[in-house]
């Protein structure tokens, strides 16, 4: 137990396994106490059959949250002990089911007496404890069903790593990476087009000198993400959010979100009221990001890009 004091919460799984192992050993001794020849791991299957009657392997697995192969193995062990009989025919004669034998039914009555004593013993522990473990387990099971521990750790990793991302203004030294990151994702899904080369080969002339902006995302000083605001000569829109690209090396670091927010803030500070962007619905993570940033789908505008099949806008006055 001193180990768990040192490790803290990161050893939750190990601590639960340690407790479960001790409980299983105790359970085996309790069955011996009541002169019951029974393996603790059989109990969930045995309980379902004793309470609900004959069931299929699939039904039992679904009821106790085990895999079908696991239940099949337990059924074979219980059958060898003479407690269950499998391959029984159901009432509709279309399914093979498992049911308790006479020996199993007799044992069920015996185990019910044992279970009553166990309930009383556990109630005694609960009354002595500061926290009700049984209720806490139910709550934890519910919370983990809503969002797994893996998902929660992934989120924390993303939050931590995103704090190490730095968004900086474009400098000429970033032109190579600005082009390379965009070429990488465009070429992975589509073909590079003339409008791409104009912006990527000459970002200062095509974007910056016309009143636009480019930002670069650094992770541990390595440029792994880029995005641009291209000034538009349009009665409806001030800027186009474009040329957003993030290296696969930076996945899970919230870099696209941070770049998008930085660009939107820059546009707002410049006095812009509406932003525009073009994309393709094949790029599901990107489209999801744009919606998260507040963009909404629009239709009816012409585009220089063959790959474009969705257009979106963001009204900064609504935010």
């Amino acid at each position: 137990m001193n180990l768990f004091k040192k490790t803290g919460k990161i050893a939750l799984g190990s601590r639960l396994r340690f407790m479960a192992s001790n409980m299983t050993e105790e359970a085996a001794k309790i069955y011996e106490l009541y002169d019951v020849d029974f393996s603790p791991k059989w109990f969930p299957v045995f309980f379902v059959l004793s309470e609900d009657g004959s069931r299929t392997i699939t039904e039992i697995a679904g009821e106790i949250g085990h895999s079908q192969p696991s239940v099949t193995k337990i059924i074979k062990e219980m059958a060898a002990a003479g407690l269950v009989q499998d391959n029984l025919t159901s009432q509709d004669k279309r399914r093979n089911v498992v049911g308790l034998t006479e020996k199993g039914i007799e044992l069920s009555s015996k185990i019910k007496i044992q279970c009553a004593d166990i309930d009383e013993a556990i109630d005694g522990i609960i009354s002595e404890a500061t926290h009700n473990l049984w209720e806490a387990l139910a709550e934890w099971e519910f919370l983990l069903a809503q969002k797994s521990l893996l998902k929660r750790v992934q989120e924390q990793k993303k939050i931590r790593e995103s704090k190490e991302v730095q968004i900086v203004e474009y400098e000429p030294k970033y032109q190579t990476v600005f082009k390379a990151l965009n070429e990488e994702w465009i070429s992975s899904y589509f073909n590079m087009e003339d409008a791409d080369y104009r912006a990527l080969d000459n970002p200062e002339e095509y974007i910056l000198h016309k009143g636009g902006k480019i930002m670069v995302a650094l992770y541990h000083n390595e440029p792994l993400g880029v995005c641009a605001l291209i000034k538009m000569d349009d009665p409806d829109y001030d800027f186009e959010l474009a040329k957003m690209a993030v290296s696969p090396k930076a996945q899970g670091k919230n870099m696209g979100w941070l770049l998008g927010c930085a660009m939107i803030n820059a546009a707002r500070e410049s006095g812009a009221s509406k932003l525009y962007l073009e994309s393709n619905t094949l790029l599901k993570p990107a489209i999801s990001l744009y919606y998260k940033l507040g963009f909404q789908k629009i239709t009816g505008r012409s585009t220089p890009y063959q790959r474009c099949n969705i257009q979106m806008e963001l009204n900064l006055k609504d935010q």
Side-chain angles (χ1 to χ4, degrees):
M1 297 302 292
N2 287 333
L3 171 67
F4 299 132
K5 290 180 181 179
K6 294 178 181 178
T7 60
K9 300 178 184 69
I10 60 172
L12 174 63
S14 297
R15 188 164 188 173
L16 288 174
R17 283 193 295 272
F18 179 79
M19 187 175 184
S21 176
N22 284 344
M23 294 290 286
T24 300
E25 289 181 14
E26 291 275 283
K29 293 176 182 178
I30 291 171
Y31 284 121
E32 290 178 11
L33 179 65
Y34 287 82
D35 195 25
V36 173
D37 185 13
F38 194 86
S39 172
K41 67 178 179 179
W42 297 347
F43 183 76
V45 174
F46 186 81
F47 180 83
V48 170
L49 294 176
S50 62
E51 292 291 313
D52 302 334
S54 300
R55 288 289 181 270
T56 65
I57 298 290
T58 301
E59 289 171 340
I60 296 171
E63 181 74 16
I64 68 175
H66 285 203
S67 67
Q68 290 190 35
S70 173
V71 173
T72 300
K73 183 179 179 182
I74 291 173
I75 291 296
K76 287 181 178 179
E77 292 176 2
M78 293 174 66
L83 300 178
V84 300
Q85 185 176 353
D86 57 0
N87 295 322
L88 298 173
T89 303
S90 62
Q91 291 182 350
D92 60 15
K93 298 182 179 180
R94 290 178 297 179
R95 302 180 303 163
N96 290 328
V97 298
V98 179
L100 293 181
T101 61
E102 288 296 326
K103 180 180 178 181
I105 294 171
E106 182 180 342
L107 184 63
S108 175
S109 300
K110 197 171 183 179
I111 286 181
K112 284 180 180 179
I113 299 173
Q114 171 185 327
C115 287
D117 290 347
I118 293 172
D119 278 344
E120 291 294 331
I122 292 175
D123 282 342
I125 296 174
I126 291 173
S127 67
E128 296 172 21
T130 303
H131 305 288
N132 188 320
L133 177 61
W134 189 253
E135 292 181 0
L137 284 173
E139 187 175 18
W140 273 64
E141 287 168 349
F142 172 79
L143 292 173
L144 291 174
Q146 304 307 303
K147 185 188 294 185
S148 71
L149 180 59
L150 172 61
K151 179 67 174 177
R152 292 168 189 268
V153 173
Q154 286 174 332
E155 289 177 353
Q156 291 304 313
K157 181 175 183 287
K158 191 172 186 178
I159 290 171
R160 176 180 54 78
E161 292 183 342
S162 68
K163 291 178 181 178
E164 300 173 11
V165 174
Q166 184 182 6
I167 307 297
V168 300
E169 297 276 351
Y170 175 87
E171 296 179 33
K173 66 180 180 179
Y174 295 128
Q175 190 274 326
T176 301
V177 74
F178 179 61
K179 180 177 181 180
L181 287 175
N182 273 283
E183 272 190 325
E184 182 178 19
W185 81 259
I186 294 171
S187 300
S188 296
Y189 295 93
F190 313 102
N191 294 316
M192 289 283 289
E193 302 181 38
D194 290 341
D196 293 315
Y197 288 113
R198 286 197 297 271
L200 299 177
D201 288 336
N202 304 287
E204 294 185 5
E205 176 185 347
Y206 188 79
I207 299 174
L208 300 178
H209 293 169
K210 293 181 179 180
K213 183 178 284 289
I214 301 173
M215 289 189 177
V216 180
L218 307 178
Y219 184 70
H220 295 168
N221 293 320
E222 182 181 3
L224 296 177
V226 293
C227 190
L229 280 176
I230 299 176
K231 185 68 175 176
M232 296 181 70
D233 183 15
D234 188 279
D236 297 319
Y237 301 103
D238 301 289
F239 293 98
E240 177 186 358
L241 183 72
K243 298 296 176 277
M244 180 184 284
V246 175
S247 170
K249 291 167 58 177
Q251 286 181 354
K253 294 176 175 55
N254 235 13
M255 199 168 279
W257 167 258
L258 294 173
L259 280 167
C261 289
M263 282 306 195
I264 290 170
N265 290 335
R268 186 181 286 110
E269 290 173 1
S270 73
S273 58
K274 251 185 181 182
L275 301 184
Y276 170 79
L277 68 78
E278 298 182 336
S279 189
N280 189 289
T281 51
L282 182 64
L283 308 172
K284 293 182 180 179
I287 300 301
S288 177
L289 170 63
Y290 299 144
Y291 277 118
K292 186 178 177 182
L293 288 168
F295 282 85
Q296 297 298 319
K297 183 178 183 295
I298 59 170
T299 57
R301 291 184 62 88
S302 60
T303 172
Y305 292 102
Q306 294 182 5
R307 64 177 177 266
C308 171
N309 71 353
I310 184 172
Q311 298 163 315
M312 307 178 79
E313 69 176 18
L314 174 63
N315 192 335
L316 297 176
K317 294 180 179 179
D318 292 341
Q319 291 193 327

